[in-house]
Amino acid sequence: MPVAQAHAVSAACASRAETGGLNVSGRLGDVVAADGATLASADDPVVAKAIATGIAHGLALMADGTVRAWGSNSSGQLGDGSTVNRTTAVAVAGLTGVRAVAAGDSHNVALVAGGTVRAWGSNSSGQLGDGSTVNRTTAVAVAGLTGVRAVAAGGAHSLALTADGTVKAWGSNRFGQLGDGTTADHSTPVTVMGLAGVKAIAASVTHSLALMADGTVRAWGNNEFGQLGDGTSTNRSTPVGVTGLTGVRAVAAGAFHSLALATGGTVKVWGINYLGQLGDGTRINRSTPVGATGLTRVRAIDGSLHSLALMADGTVRAWGSNSSGQLGDGTRINRSTPVTVVHLAGVKAISTTVSHNLALMADGTVRAWGNNSSGQLGDGTINNRAVPVTVRGLIGKQDL
């Protein structure tokens, strides 16, 4: 069963001409792709400010409001008008003024200035929200959405948090992950039932999470492994409360587990644990939250078949599946407690999926590690990496 989550360098020196398929001819020249296309002026370089990972592709939201993508493109998820895989970053066509991005298995959603949403890629379950099930190789508008504040993307469904604190959902609904009280797919947005005062959202393969303004968490969808955290394994087509959680600052949805960042920088986890992805030192599934071992002063979290934590000092910890080197510790050994990702410091944001990760660096460059079979590490190769490498085709301040 394919799994992923909806749900990132060593910077090149100014004198280098090896910037991932780019031709940089001095500080005063333009930055030019191998095919001759101008990507940025050397006098005004564009840097990444946010990242997202699909099952085998990556996204970077650039400081100028455009988006770049790389990796698998079988469903048009790179948004460049083709279905050709890319091992370095290319521009998503026709997108400007983007405020946030999210990546599902093989589709993406972008929050645009003005509070509307665009989507592209796989649309087999209506996850693009345009009223069809036709894949799109360039971005289309999600029907009927305005006033959106945040977006999230699951395996084949999507979420939008609106200005009034309610949540809209569309796409696959086999397990009730749209939260509308049914299990019918929807190709346009529907309202998640019983939610108001939502602060943040997260989506995974087949379940969804909402962080409430009071610091509690609600969950809905697939609960086979206890990933909804209500002490049962019963699927839910409307939101239920996660047991025993208060003071939560952020949430993340793994493939079949969930994470919460608590006050004080500790991490709570629940759901499937056969690969050690809960980080509690066991392989025992949990239907209510437990603590990940040895973590304090955490700033951000993410998960899939493994989990990541961004620390206050700008380093990253990882645990769970390591089959493709996605824990970044130089091995391929699964870990049931957190280990340090090597050669990473000064990280601003993290994003993970089933077998690779992205880290956004303080200088606006991006590093990647893990599975690279479709070029999803963006380093110009298809070689797996057990330690981080630079994503090419993204212009950071030190690329010039």
Side-chain angles (χ1 to χ4, degrees), residues 65-302:
T66 62
V67 179
R68 296 186 187 170
W70 59 96
S72 176
N73 200 22
S74 58
S75 299
Q77 60 263 49
L78 302 191
D80 66 345
S82 81
T83 54
V84 178
N85 292 357
R86 309 289 185 177
T87 61
T88 58
V90 296
V92 175
L95 274 185
T96 59
V98 176
R99 299 289 178 84
V101 291
D105 272 13
S106 301
H107 80 287
N108 312 287
V109 290
L111 172 59
V112 181
T116 61
V117 179
R118 307 289 295 278
W120 65 100
S122 177
N123 200 22
S124 57
S125 299
Q127 59 263 49
L128 302 189
D130 67 343
S132 81
T133 54
V134 177
N135 293 353
R136 307 292 185 176
T137 61
T138 57
V140 295
V142 176
L145 283 184
T146 58
V148 174
R149 293 172 47 196
V151 290
H157 74 290
S158 307
L159 303 178
L161 172 59
T162 64
D164 64 1
T166 60
V167 178
K168 304 294 185 182
W170 60 98
S172 177
N173 199 25
R174 177 182 175 189
F175 297 94
Q177 61 263 46
L178 300 190
D180 69 335
T182 79
T183 54
D185 294 353
H186 293 281
S187 62
T188 57
V190 295
T191 300
V192 177
M193 295 178 65
L195 285 184
V198 176
K199 183 178 177 181
I201 51 176
S204 184
V205 183
T206 51
H207 76 285
S208 306
L209 300 175
L211 172 60
M212 309 305 291
D214 65 359
T216 61
V217 178
R218 308 289 296 276
W220 62 99
N222 189 0
N223 200 24
E224 180 180 1
F225 305 103
Q227 59 262 49
L228 302 189
D230 67 344
T232 78
S233 57
T234 303
N235 296 348
R236 307 290 185 177
S237 62
T238 58
V240 294
V242 176
T243 301
L245 281 185
T246 58
V248 174
R249 295 164 47 195
V251 290
F256 301 105
H257 74 293
S258 305
L259 304 92
L261 177 58
T263 301
T266 60
V267 177
K268 300 294 186 180
V269 286
W270 61 99
I272 200 168
N273 198 26
Y274 76 108
L275 296 168
Q277 55 263 61
L278 299 190
D280 68 343
T282 78
R283 299 288 200 280
I284 300 169
N285 296 350
R286 309 288 186 176
S287 63
T288 56
V290 296
T293 300
L295 290 180
T296 58
R297 302 189 69 227
V298 174
R299 288 173 48 197
I301 50 176
D302 205 359

